[in-house]
Amino acid sequence: MQQLIADGRPFVTDDGVMSPKQIRLALQSGTVRRLLRGVFVDARVPEDRDLRVLAVERIRPPHGVACSETAAWVMGLDVHPPGRRFDMTPTFLVPHGETRIVRSGIDCRQARLGSHDVTEDFGTFSTTPVRTASDLLRRQYRPYALASADQMTRSGLVDLGELSSVVMHLKGYPGIRQARSLVGLVDARAESPGESWTRLRLHDAGFPPPELQVEVADHDGVIRRIDLAYEVQKVAIEYDGSAHHSALSDLAWDEERRDDLSVQWGWRWVLARRSSIFGQDATFEEAVGAHLGLVPLRRWWGHL
């Protein structure tokens, strides 16, 4: 096999491995791929935690600690907001009193960092899982923040009780009000960001919290799961993301499963997509409210 570019290690433009033009062409041809903004690797190298650590270490500033989305990425999770999922700008904190490095392609800021906030357990200096989750709850847009915290608790990296305690005792940090309003909604049973976004929209509409991953038997006795449900009222709510609900085969399967549960058990369905969850159109919560016999609150969704 042809030798790996840079021996399979992450590299940056300043390394002289490839010129900026060569990197652009290599990205277009699929010869290399971007790990982080400004950090590249031979496309044949499989991605794992060790490779992510090497990428972070290649650009980590002196005294820098990977934080927020970058810290979660090192831990094995992708909590980047949809608009930043392919940008992958690395984020770092430096303690107050240390120089904040200003470098193109890196978000580096000063912050209060105690020894209990930093860990090397994941191969590089990063904020601890609970500090990472609390930072995301404070700093990300509300729907994305809840989805990130759901994912971190689901992964087992964060204990919800500890996270709640940390958030409730925070003082002097920006975004505390948002974090405190969200931490009580965090649920490790959420299996996708879309489910988290939908739950928040239901909460903001003033509806009671739905049950998650409700199991129902179809006519063959096969157990099917409903993403979100109000069991007493037989109202089922599912988020159909484009990644898994666009192909004709997926759509046909979803329709068959839902029709079967409707005919046999009387379930009524309200389907959500990104276009109905994000934005000010109230059609989604009006449909849910009609089934529940409730009038949704009018709120500027996604904001406090």
Side-chain angles (χ1 to χ4, degrees):
M1 185 177 72
Q2 185 180 4
Q3 184 176 1
L4 295 172
I5 301 169
D7 295 325
R9 297 176 65 84
F11 64 91
V12 299
T13 305
D14 291 346
D15 290 337
V17 174
M18 305 176 78
S19 69
K21 181 178 180 180
Q22 288 173 325
I23 292 175
R24 287 196 300 271
L25 293 174
L27 287 170
Q28 293 173 5
S29 67
T31 306
V32 303
R33 71 177 186 275
R34 180 183 289 107
L35 288 171
L36 291 168
R37 187 176 181 184
V39 186
F40 312 93
V41 71
D42 190 303
R44 293 168 291 177
V45 178
E47 185 166 328
D48 56 19
R49 181 177 292 167
D50 290 339
L51 185 66
R52 292 183 175 189
V53 168
L54 289 174
V56 168
E57 281 293 293
R58 182 62 191 79
I59 56 173
R60 185 173 64 86
H63 309 292
V65 175
C67 67
S68 301
E69 293 91 350
T70 301
W73 185 70
V74 168
M75 297 170 195
L77 303 179
D78 182 1
V79 298
H80 290 86
R84 293 184 56 196
R85 188 147 288 151
F86 301 104
D87 177 54
M88 297 290 285
T89 299
T91 54
F92 297 95
L93 298 178
V94 294
H96 285 298
E98 300 293 347
T99 302
R100 182 176 65 87
I101 302 299
V102 179
R103 174 179 169 180
S104 176
I106 292 180
D107 179 3
C108 183
R109 62 184 185 274
Q110 291 181 329
R112 286 182 287 176
L113 280 174
S115 59
H116 60 283
D117 292 320
V118 181
T119 182
E120 286 187 88
D121 289 348
F122 301 96
T124 186
F125 287 101
S126 70
T127 51
T128 61
V130 70
R131 171 64 190 263
T132 301
S134 65
D135 285 349
L136 291 168
L137 281 174
R138 290 189 302 108
R139 296 181 63 86
Q140 284 188 323
Y141 176 49
R142 284 181 74 238
Y144 303 155
L146 179 61
S148 295
D150 282 350
Q151 189 173 346
M152 293 197 72
T153 54
R154 180 175 178 79
S155 72
L157 287 168
V158 173
D159 175 76
L160 182 53
E162 182 184 9
L163 177 60
S164 297
S165 178
V166 167
V167 168
M168 291 305 176
H169 287 87
L170 283 177
K171 293 182 179 179
Y173 287 84
I176 291 176
R177 182 182 173 214
Q178 171 174 295
R180 289 176 178 170
S181 74
L182 289 176
V183 72
L185 304 178
V186 176
D187 197 315
R189 294 174 296 173
E191 294 187 344
S192 72
E195 291 181 23
S196 303
W197 305 337
T198 304
R199 279 181 21 248
L200 183 60
R201 181 113 190 184
L202 294 170
H203 169 80
D204 284 1
F207 297 145
E211 286 300 313
L212 280 69
Q213 316 309 333
V214 173
E215 295 186 343
V216 183
D218 66 10
H219 67 278
D220 293 322
V222 177
I223 299 298
R224 307 296 185 190
R225 286 198 304 174
I226 300 172
D227 295 346
L228 308 169
Y230 294 99
E231 292 188 81
V232 173
Q233 298 89 343
K234 287 289 190 296
V235 178
I237 303 165
E238 292 192 328
Y239 181 89
D240 285 355
S242 58
H244 303 290
H245 298 276
S246 295
L248 292 178
S249 57
D250 293 332
L251 295 173
W253 164 248
D254 286 336
E255 185 175 0
E256 179 181 353
R257 175 177 63 89
R258 290 163 181 163
D259 285 348
D260 184 66
L261 295 181
S262 295
V263 171
Q264 185 173 5
W265 300 111
W267 282 95
R268 297 170 292 173
W269 298 85
V270 180
L271 305 182
R273 285 191 173 271
R274 184 176 177 85
S275 59
S276 61
I277 292 298
F278 286 88
Q280 301 309 309
D281 184 355
T283 303
F284 167 74
E285 52 260 55
E286 287 174 352
V288 175
H291 289 313
L292 298 180
L294 299 172
V295 178
L297 299 177
R298 296 296 184 180
R299 292 182 179 175
W300 185 24
W301 186 76
H303 300 264
L304 287 175

